[in-house]
Amino acid sequence: MLKIYLIAQPNAGKTTLFNRICGERCYVANWPGKTVEVHQARFFHHGIEITLTDLPGINSFKTASVEEGITKEFIFSREGIAVILVNGESLFRSIYFAVQVLELRDAIVVINKADYLEKRGVHVNVEALKARLGTEVVLTNAIRGIGINQLLDRCIDAAKGRIRAKRLRIDYGSIEQFVERAEKIVGDRGIAVKALEGDDYALSLISGEARSEIRKISDEISELYGDPEQMIAVQRYRFVEEVLKSSVKEVKVSRPSERLDSIFFSRAGPFFAAVLLFLLLFASLSLNTGFPLNFLFRFFGMDEAAEVLEAYSLVGMISGLFDSLSEHLSSILPDSAIKDLIVHGIIPGVGAIASFFPLVLILNFLMSLVEDSGLMARFAVSMDRFFSFFGLTGKSSFPFGISVACNVPGAVATRILETDSERIRVALAIPFIICQARLLILVLFAAFLFSSPFVQGASIVFLYILSALLFLSASRLYGGMMKLGRSDLLIELPPYHFPSLRVSWWITWQRSRAFIFKVGKFLLFFSVILWLLNFLGISDLIGKAISAAFSPMNFSPELCFSLLVGFFAKELIISSLAVSFGTSDFREILSMLNLSFAQSLALLVFISFYTPCAATVATVYSETRSIKLLAISVAFQLFLAYLLALATYSIFSVI
Amino acid sequence: MITLDSAKGRVRILEITGGKGFVRRLSDLGLFPGQVVEVVSRGPPVVVRVNDSEIAIGRGVARKIVVEELNA
């Protein structure tokens, strides 16, 4: 059996290539000894069984994440047949990376996105490149599936020893003699070079004696020429320049994308980006719950259109389905505790997962399109000026924007951030952003509590501004608490191109499936717990206990219990109140709650900012993997929401 | 002495001030002393073209890159 491994930097089209080669035959496997999942596929090519492994993308040899570490260790291990993907869109940088791999091990080089090169008038002389790199080079266009058979053929050739591969040797010029000395000590030129660069992993592979020899050589280079790492990088860079000069011919073609870029980079850029982002959100939300399009229809007096939209929105259809399912079951099943559990515990839990799912799916899809088209990097650039005030980069505008729709995919979107410190800060602060579920409650309460439409609108706009400020200050505060440095933007701008629907869909499905399994089980668990509390008849007791904490604001036990239920999912606050008061007429519920103006405002503030829904907590945990951080942020948020609500109450009850 | 955040046109990188990891991150992107880059947008963030790629550089990073202008 032939084992082929794909190595690439992010954005090189590795996922597309993998997907193109094996389609639906792929499965997720655990990397031996690590808790990292990799995609694998098994298939036959010319009667030979092949296992293809999609190794995690790696930015450079200076790896930070566990995932990247796997790929790096694989490169040093020299197992199997390695295929390095070179990104046709940034030939220089990705060949620079490929060269480092070729110094360490044999590998077949694939130059992907050949169509892009053609379009830009770039001609790659494959034979010349083969000669310079000393290995097989294949041109592919992964999106169209061009060059894939040829690649697999070359892999089989390599496995059968039909390719005469010799390890790449770069002439390190002025420090060459030092590299040769290191090579003699280590016994392998590739590892010797990496060790001289100060690579921890390379140093860990050699004996203690060799390590101290290498250190001596490094010191000598430092004394004579300067930092050895820098010297090696520069020489390698010159080598790549030479290779490309002799094998790549470019006919200058002007790029229409430059005009679009000049808008993004201008002063109006942030506005332009925000409008685009807003339109994307608007479209996905309307599809999902009908909001905010239904409000617009109502506003213009088209109530019928609004109702149709709501009924045929995804959430409307799904929740209708689950409602009728639980009604049907309760009429045919004999009365028992089991029936109660199914109808009031399990079905609503599964229903909550199901009604979350479309939004998660849509947002993941939109995000993958934006990511793949090259727009994401431009958004990041234009938003950077604003976010950098708070020590974040413009890339954070993404998780931020998505969280306005739903915190769950928002927290998942923190994966696009480059540094761990920014990821953690943003992920922990995300629950401060008012999501759609919270907005629905706020709109409902505001509409019944305040008679003036102006106050209704103003109170909600105010809460949104407050939520953005809280998000930014909280991310700053968490950063300060954990002594994390500020993050600065440093990204490569990929050229614009039309995203491949096939790949976007595949990525969307992978991410959304993870949502069902990782977050879904928490939702189901909480749903059953809530049912148990109701079933045992202790919900009143709990409501009373919580209301003791809210005594300064005089919230009733029923309201307090519904707030607890709101932790499960904020939209359940209303249904919990309906159950407690035995009516589904919201006007009646509110008259029974009998809230004063100050209490109402305090309630709105509290609902906006208190501990997010269970799904968000579960997602933030799976993204940060720290119970401690999560507990601190959840407690802090609860505390802050309480303080803000209390402050609102005190101020407005005096007025 | 000017840094990248206030430069324009074609510039040569003279020095990068910062830790080892920082310098390495930049050199992985093709930014190291001696390299000639073209400032595409003055930002912030600064956008430069180096070889065939464009790189956006936040203000904090740009301030640590000392450059000289080549054709002012």
Side-chain angles (χ1 to χ4, degrees), chain A residues 453-474:
Chain A
F454 174 75
V455 181
Q456 288 174 14
S459 61
I460 287 174
V461 169
F462 172 75
L463 285 172
Y464 264 91
I465 294 171
L466 189 61
S467 107
L469 286 177
L470 283 176
F471 165 78
L472 291 167
S473 345

Side-chain angles (χ1 to χ4, degrees), chain A residues 508-528:
Chain A
T508 305
W509 179 241
Q510 296 298 330
R511 285 183 186 159
S512 308
R513 198 172 59 176
F515 163 80
I516 298 188
F517 294 113
K518 285 192 178 139
V519 178
K521 60 185 182 209
F522 282 92
L523 281 177
L524 195 59
F525 174 72
F526 283 113
S527 176
V528 171

Side-chain angles (χ1 to χ4, degrees), chain A residues 240-446:
Chain A
V240 175
E241 261 173 3
E242 233 174 86
V243 167
L244 286 180
K245 212 176 276 170
S246 64
S247 59
V248 174
K249 285 224 158 50
E250 190 171 349
V251 186
K252 196 74 179 162
V253 184
S254 82
R255 292 195 283 174
S257 64
E258 275 167 22
R259 206 168 304 151
L260 195 54
D261 270 349
S262 67
I263 302 176
F264 273 117
F265 300 160
S266 72
R267 288 206 179 276
F271 178 72
F272 183 59
V275 168
L276 265 177
L277 215 70
F278 176 78
L279 285 177
L280 282 174
L281 277 178
F282 190 92
S284 63
L285 295 186
S286 293
L287 207 58
N288 188 51
T289 52
F291 179 86
L293 209 55
N294 57 348
F295 267 59
L296 273 181
F297 282 158
R298 286 241 161 76
F299 187 76
F300 291 110
M302 297 185 282
D303 283 3
E304 270 173 42
E307 265 165 39
V308 170
L309 184 70
E310 278 162 25
Y312 286 98
S313 68
L314 291 167
V315 166
M317 289 194 281
I318 290 170
S319 60
L321 196 70
F322 277 90
D323 282 352
S324 56
L325 179 67
S326 86
E327 255 171 51
H328 180 65
L329 282 179
S330 71
S331 65
I332 58 164
L333 288 176
D335 276 337
S336 69
I338 303 278
K339 169 188 157 180
D340 212 51
L341 171 65
I342 291 171
V343 173
H344 298 295
I346 291 174
I347 289 182
V350 176
I353 302 165
S355 60
F356 252 118
F357 191 64
L359 184 60
V360 170
L361 202 67
I362 293 169
L363 287 171
N364 276 335
F365 186 62
L366 275 179
M367 198 170 74
S368 70
L369 287 185
V370 172
E371 241 180 299
D372 202 25
S373 62
L375 272 175
M376 168 104 69
R378 272 73 184 187
F379 282 146
V381 170
S382 57
M383 293 298 199
D384 193 61
R385 212 173 305 174
F386 175 68
F387 278 87
S388 65
F389 276 121
F390 297 88
L392 298 174
T393 70
K395 268 198 161 185
S396 291
S397 60
F398 252 82
F400 178 84
I402 286 169
S403 297
V404 172
C406 178
N407 286 183
V408 171
V412 176
T414 57
R415 284 184 199 172
I416 63 162
L417 302 176
E418 309 270 317
T419 56
D420 279 348
S421 77
E422 191 179 8
R423 280 195 53 174
I424 291 176
R425 278 157 60 190
V426 174
L428 289 180
I430 266 178
F432 277 111
I433 299 165
I434 297 179
C435 65
Q436 225 198 344
R438 275 176 262 185
L439 177 70
L440 289 177
I441 308 278
L442 295 184
V443 167
L444 205 54
F445 269 97

Side-chain angles (χ1 to χ4, degrees), chain A residues 60 62 90-93 197 227 229-230 234 237 255 258 261 265 381 384-385 488-493, chain B residues 20-21 23-26 28-30 32-33 35 41 44-45 49 51-58 60-61:
Chain A
S60 71
K62 184 194 162 296
S90 55
L91 264 186
F92 202 99
R93 200 159 83 77
E197 284 180 272
D227 182 24
E229 193 188 337
Q230 192 86 46
V234 170
Y237 216 86
R255 292 195 283 174
E258 275 167 22
D261 270 349
F265 300 160
V381 170
D384 193 61
R385 212 173 305 174
D488 263 303
L489 194 67
L490 189 60
I491 50 167
E492 196 177 342
L493 302 176
Chain B
K20 239 182 145 108
V23 171
R24 181 149 35 166
R25 234 180 108 203
L26 286 174
D28 279 337
L29 288 166
F32 50 77
Q35 184 77 333
S41 164
R49 185 172 297 143
N51 290 306
D52 55 1
S53 54
E54 282 182 358
I55 297 158
I57 304 169
V61 174

Side-chain angles (χ1 to χ4, degrees), chain A residues 80-97:
Chain A
I81 302 288
V83 172
I84 319 167
L85 244 76
V86 164
N87 185 351
E89 291 173 347
S90 55
L91 264 186
F92 202 99
R93 200 159 83 77
S94 47
I95 287 195
Y96 180 81
F97 177 77

